[in-house]
Amino acid sequence: MRRKTVSQGLPPNMIRRVRKLKSGKTWESYYYTGRNADGKPVEIPLGKDINAARRKWAELECMKIPADTTLMRLIFDRYELEVIPGKAPATQKENLRQLGILRKIFDGAPIDAITPQIVAQYRDQRGRQAATGANRELALLSHVWNMAREWGYTAGENPVRGVRRNKERPRDYYADDAVWDAVYGHASPELRDAMDLAYLTGQRPADVMKMRWADIQDGALEVRQNKTARYLRILLDGEDGRRTELGQLLDRIRGRERKIRSMYLVATPEGVPLNRGTLRLRFTLARQKAADALAEQGNEALAQRVLGFQFRDIRPKAASETDLNHASKLLGHTDRQITQTVYRRVGETVLPTR
């Protein structure tokens, strides 16, 4: 079928071609019409997106790009469609939430109308409600802006760059042995396995939940971290040939009688692997039982400390209870300063002056 040419509502020298495909779908694309040096008519493809086509048309006509083709709403839409799906599931969910917050402020603004002063105002106003959240949203806005520049929406400098962030205070909760033992004593077998694995490997909860028996290769537990994609091999035997505590833990889990054998290291007696939700439920239940028992014993101070314990605090506990160099390698950090600043939650042990 011959393509239909439509130019109504379009700028001069710009046309839209429409074609009905055999599949029943409608194909359409935009073109710039002009003449070459010899005076012969030529058509330059502008793409299928009307806003992108109008920007290219403006460049060819040496005119200012129409402001309504560079609205942040359009850029957010494209980022949500093309960039976010390539991220990890948890990151996708968080980015979509952050994007919803950013849209309320920036959706109707042309990209070049956003200045560092406007970004700073957003930081201050949003920071009164959630200082850390505002920082994460600005980081996302910065990435959106960089992608928009690659896509041709702007040639300007990133207005987020150079704008200082809200001051953040890293979480400093330390789960000492009293807190650990209290929760561990009320934990189900699969929760104990998860706690032990998290402590002995120093890995994030998501990385612990996905550990499988197939990950044990050549005397080591192989880990690929979700967040950084970094590979680690955590040895199951020491240099003296004796089993490490991690190796002993895996032997104990493997030797436990189960109704159904699971592919995953952390699973219920029925062979069902734990996920983020079931881990949280089990941990919350054990923590509450431990706090209630301590309260009944009159130990309110420890009960309150137990209630502040979160599963994510196990990774800093692991980092705090070994030397800094080993902790940095175990956690998969390339910079020991990150381990020291964010994850080490006990001070250095020193002697007094005398």
Side-chain angles (χ1 to χ4, degrees):
M1 180 180 292
R2 185 177 179 181
R3 293 177 296 183
K4 183 179 179 182
T5 301
V6 182
S7 60
Q8 185 176 3
L10 299 177
N13 299 327
M14 180 175 172
I15 61 173
R16 178 173 69 248
R17 295 200 184 279
V18 182
R19 181 179 181 182
K20 191 77 170 182
L21 303 178
K22 291 182 178 180
S23 62
K25 296 182 179 179
T26 300
W27 171 91
E28 68 175 27
S29 189
Y30 297 90
Y31 293 84
Y32 178 82
T33 60
R35 295 184 180 276
N36 60 18
D38 298 327
K40 294 181 178 181
V42 294
E43 290 186 359
I44 301 175
L46 301 178
K48 298 180 180 181
D49 181 78
I50 179 62
N51 291 296
R54 291 177 63 198
R55 289 196 303 275
K56 292 180 181 178
W57 169 86
E59 292 176 3
L60 292 170
E61 290 283 324
C62 298
M63 297 179 66
K64 186 177 180 180
I65 294 176
D68 63 343
T69 66
T70 61
L71 296 179
M72 289 302 297
R73 171 178 55 81
L74 304 173
I75 300 169
F76 286 145
D77 288 344
R78 185 170 178 180
Y79 188 89
E80 185 173 334
L81 182 66
E82 298 183 14
V83 180
I84 291 182
K87 300 185 180 184
T91 307
Q92 291 184 38
K93 183 178 180 180
E94 183 64 12
N95 277 183
L96 289 172
R97 185 190 67 80
Q98 294 166 339
L99 212 58
I101 298 172
L102 291 171
R103 282 181 180 275
K104 295 177 182 178
I105 305 299
F106 298 107
D107 233 24
I111 188 169
D112 287 327
I114 301 175
T115 64
Q117 290 79 12
I118 292 175
V119 173
Q121 290 175 10
Y122 177 86
R123 174 204 63 203
D124 294 340
Q125 294 179 12
R126 174 70 175 139
R128 296 189 186 101
Q129 300 173 332
T132 302
N135 289 348
R136 302 297 176 270
E137 291 150 19
L138 290 183
L140 178 61
L141 180 61
S142 180
H143 190 238
V144 170
W145 186 283
N146 289 336
M147 293 303 301
R149 187 161 48 193
E150 289 187 16
W151 292 330
Y153 286 90
T154 182
E157 286 295 321
N158 188 334
V160 185
R161 185 179 180 182
V163 175
R164 62 180 177 83
R165 301 298 194 266
N166 292 307
K167 187 175 182 180
E168 297 183 30
R169 181 180 178 183
R171 181 173 170 82
D172 59 0
Y173 183 94
Y174 172 63
D176 57 23
D177 290 342
V179 171
W180 175 278
D181 293 343
V183 175
Y184 195 88
H186 290 83
S188 62
E190 59 269 23
L191 178 56
R192 290 185 178 185
D193 292 343
M195 293 175 67
D196 287 335
L197 271 173
Y199 176 73
L200 294 173
T201 64
Q203 300 307 301
R204 299 177 181 87
D207 295 323
V208 173
M209 293 301 98
K210 71 174 187 177
M211 291 177 179
R212 302 184 301 170
W213 292 107
D215 296 331
I216 300 175
Q217 300 286 339
D218 300 325
L221 175 62
E222 297 183 347
V223 176
R224 186 183 184 187
Q225 297 179 328
N226 281 349
K227 184 175 182 179
T228 62
R230 185 178 177 86
Y231 284 97
L232 296 173
R233 297 185 73 253
I234 307 175
L235 298 177
L236 306 183
D237 297 297
E239 294 180 354
D240 56 2
R242 291 188 297 179
R243 210 69 165 154
T244 62
E245 287 191 41
L246 176 60
Q248 295 174 31
L249 169 65
L250 296 181
D251 292 341
R252 188 165 66 249
I253 296 175
R254 190 190 296 273
R256 187 182 303 148
E257 291 188 7
R258 294 180 183 270
K259 296 179 181 179
I260 300 176
R261 183 68 61 180
S262 175
M263 296 187 301
Y264 293 87
L265 303 188
V266 181
T268 66
E270 292 75 24
V272 179
L274 294 191
N275 55 39
R276 185 176 181 179
T278 54
L279 173 67
R280 184 189 300 113
L281 287 174
R282 282 165 171 77
F283 188 82
T284 301
L285 180 61
R287 182 180 60 191
Q288 190 61 56
K289 286 182 176 179
D292 291 344
L294 290 167
E296 289 180 4
Q297 298 169 13
N299 196 341
E300 288 289 348
L302 182 55
Q304 290 301 313
R305 285 167 50 209
V306 164
L307 288 174
F309 183 25
Q310 299 179 15
F311 193 92
R312 61 173 175 158
D313 294 319
I314 299 177
R315 181 168 159 90
K317 178 177 175 66
S320 301
E321 297 180 358
T322 186
D323 70 83
L324 179 59
N325 187 53
H326 178 219
S328 185
K329 291 180 179 179
L330 185 63
L331 271 60
H333 293 155
T334 55
D335 185 357
R336 291 195 305 173
Q337 188 61 38
I338 298 175
T339 314
Q340 177 66 48
T341 304
V342 180
Y343 290 93
R344 300 277 281 189
R345 298 184 180 174
V346 292
E348 184 179 359
T349 301
V350 296
L351 291 170
T353 305
R354 295 181 182 178

